[in-house]
Amino acid sequence: MRKPEEQPRWPDRYSRQTRFAPIGESGQRRLEQAGVLIVGCGALGASLAQHMARAGVGLVRIVDRDYVEPSNLQRQVLFDEQDALESLPKAVAAARKLRLINGEIEVDARVQDVTNANVGELLEGMDAVLDGTDNAAARLLLSEHGFRRGIPFFYGGVAGSQGMSASLVPGATACLRCLIGGGESDSGADTCDTIGVIAPAVEWVAALQAAEALKWLSGRREALRRTWLSGDLWHFRVRESALPSPAQGCDICGGAQAAAERGGDADNSRIRGRNAKGARDSRQAAFHLTSLSLNRSGPLAEGEPVHHGFRAQTAVLCGRDTVQVTMEEGIGLDLGEAEQWLAARGCEVTSNPYLVKAAMPEGEKLVLFPDGRILVQGTQDPARATALCGAYLTGMRAAAILR
């Protein structure tokens, strides 16, 4: 990693972009003052992130709950074989690449899930949300909270050779819930894991999203595409339909404040606030051990306690043959403790500074993160996942996250 004093400063870095008349010098200044939240750093998210970094967006905040695996390399452009060998969290691996692409911007990487508890903080200071997620629940959450704050949501989705994109703008269009309904489950939907995906389809959708985001962030909102666009690159079919206006009966988009363009001195002060906040976050990211023990008595059903005095939530990851088990907010995992504990119980354990992976004799794998999340790979049954967590983590000390 380059030291700050070694960071090159090239006056012509954005010269081809500023010569593009719709952006120009004024649009470039707006980009440099803007902040964008990218949730999900897989295929779409990785491509979106590199587009935003190369364009000079001042703050690129990446949030992802997963880590790099070999099957990602076919389409996720920011990752390489070494990232997969090290099982690096996608947000961490992506941030490393982005800082090499553009050391003049701020990259804020978060290895976490998006929840009701943290979505407000993640949206703080953001001018747009770019959708790289793989599940409806996260999309609906981001759309709802973004609309309430006047922040547009640039939707995108890909499976097989098909993809779709839409720019949802508070005060101008309907919210995502009005467009797709309130169902938070992806059950029955085609995914990359069920029907595969080709990289050109990913790049096509990411290009659509990125172009609309650049229009918005550079202050050229009149150029936004007001349509829902879908297509199939393999058979080359494209469909476009107008986006509906806000639904007056909807408590999300019906009363949403109009999204505002931001720029000038107010934005500069906002960026200074971001930098200060980032320093605070880095100091608060420490963990300490407590005497909390993980207890289990028989197989656990969905929502049953995984450890004494606290409850865990489960979520089946779309098409992944994986269940995410999340401890109660504020309870984390000490990775050093977990590595020793699981190795002593017959698991084949590997680790890095961000996670611990344990292959269990039963065939499934546990992937533990310090924020209290556990991916149970090899099952789609929440009861099985929570039972395995209880069986292998009983008695292990937890970690309380300093707030």
Side-chain angles (χ1 to χ4, degrees), residues 245-269:
S245 299
Q248 295 307 309
C250 175
D251 62 352
I252 299 172
C253 59
Q257 66 182 59
E261 291 182 61
R262 298 184 252 192
D265 293 339
D267 285 298
N268 291 328
S269 64

Side-chain angles (χ1 to χ4, degrees), residues 87-109:
S87 298
L88 286 180
K90 290 182 179 179
V92 172
R96 289 182 179 181
K97 302 297 195 310
L98 295 176
R99 290 174 184 132
L100 292 174
I101 290 170
N102 191 344
E104 297 179 3
I105 66 169
E106 181 181 353
V107 180
D108 179 15

Side-chain angles (χ1 to χ4, degrees), residues 37 79 113 127 231 273 292 329 349:
L37 172 64
F79 310 130
D113 206 355
D127 298 290
L292 301 172
E329 183 187 4
V349 180

